[in-house]
Amino acid sequence: MTSRLNPYLSFGDTARAALEFYRDVFGGTLTISTFGEFSDQDAPGADLVMHGILETPSGFTLMAADTPPGMEYKPGSSISISLSGADAAELRGYWDRLSAAGTVSVPLEKQMWGDEFGMCQDRFGISWMVNIVAPATAGSGASAADPSA
């Protein structure tokens, strides 16, 4: 899997409807994972989208998620840029340069879905997500719950 860069949209609680709409517009395959699939299925927000990815026949990739319970949704700051792939050295290099003089909100480290993932805002205020696909899933393109693959 080569590294890729694509938009990642954030929603309060309408990511599923938005992604289904974009699938209707662009066509393609939509994959959605909920917060409940990786935690308590009875918890508030368990049915919200933790990660959704639309891959279209034209080669477009669009990702989205709902704001996790307990986090504030901030309209106007609803997009991040996602870097993902299996080349750990390349992606860690991007992470190091992007997060330098910026603000790290999620350290780049192994996550519950098995990949290494981190979130930061660069020194210009742009939000970035970096996901290094776990070696066992690298051949499949991305792990099922990968929030930035």
Side-chain angles (χ1 to χ4, degrees):
M1 171 184 193
T2 59
S3 296
R4 63 182 174 180
L5 180 143
N6 56 270
Y8 201 109
L9 305 174
S10 296
F11 297 90
D13 60 2
T14 58
R16 182 181 301 274
L19 285 166
E20 289 171 349
F21 169 74
Y22 297 136
R23 180 188 58 202
D24 291 345
V25 170
F26 299 111
T29 303
L30 176 59
T31 305
I32 292 178
S33 298
T34 65
F35 288 103
E37 291 175 43
F38 294 92
S39 63
D40 182 359
Q41 294 183 353
D42 296 322
D47 61 334
L48 294 176
V49 175
M50 183 178 107
H51 174 68
I53 181 171
L54 174 64
E55 296 183 285
T56 74
S58 298
F60 302 152
T61 299
L62 183 63
M63 297 179 188
D66 288 314
T67 303
M71 287 184 68
E72 179 184 1
Y73 174 65
K74 299 177 186 174
S77 62
S78 58
I79 188 165
S80 297
I81 301 172
S82 170
L83 286 166
S84 58
D87 189 330
E90 176 184 50
L91 290 165
R92 280 191 192 100
Y94 294 146
W95 171 263
D96 290 344
R97 292 188 293 278
L98 289 166
S99 62
T103 304
V104 173
S105 56
V106 176
L108 182 63
E109 60 189 21
K110 187 171 181 170
Q111 301 296 323
M112 63 184 156
W113 58 87
D115 297 351
E116 289 181 62
F117 175 79
M119 294 173 58
C120 69
Q121 192 173 72
D122 69 22
R123 62 187 175 134
F124 299 103
I126 303 300
S127 296
W128 293 88
M129 298 186 297
V130 174
N131 192 87
I132 302 169
V133 178
T137 60
S140 66
S143 59
D146 173 357
S148 70

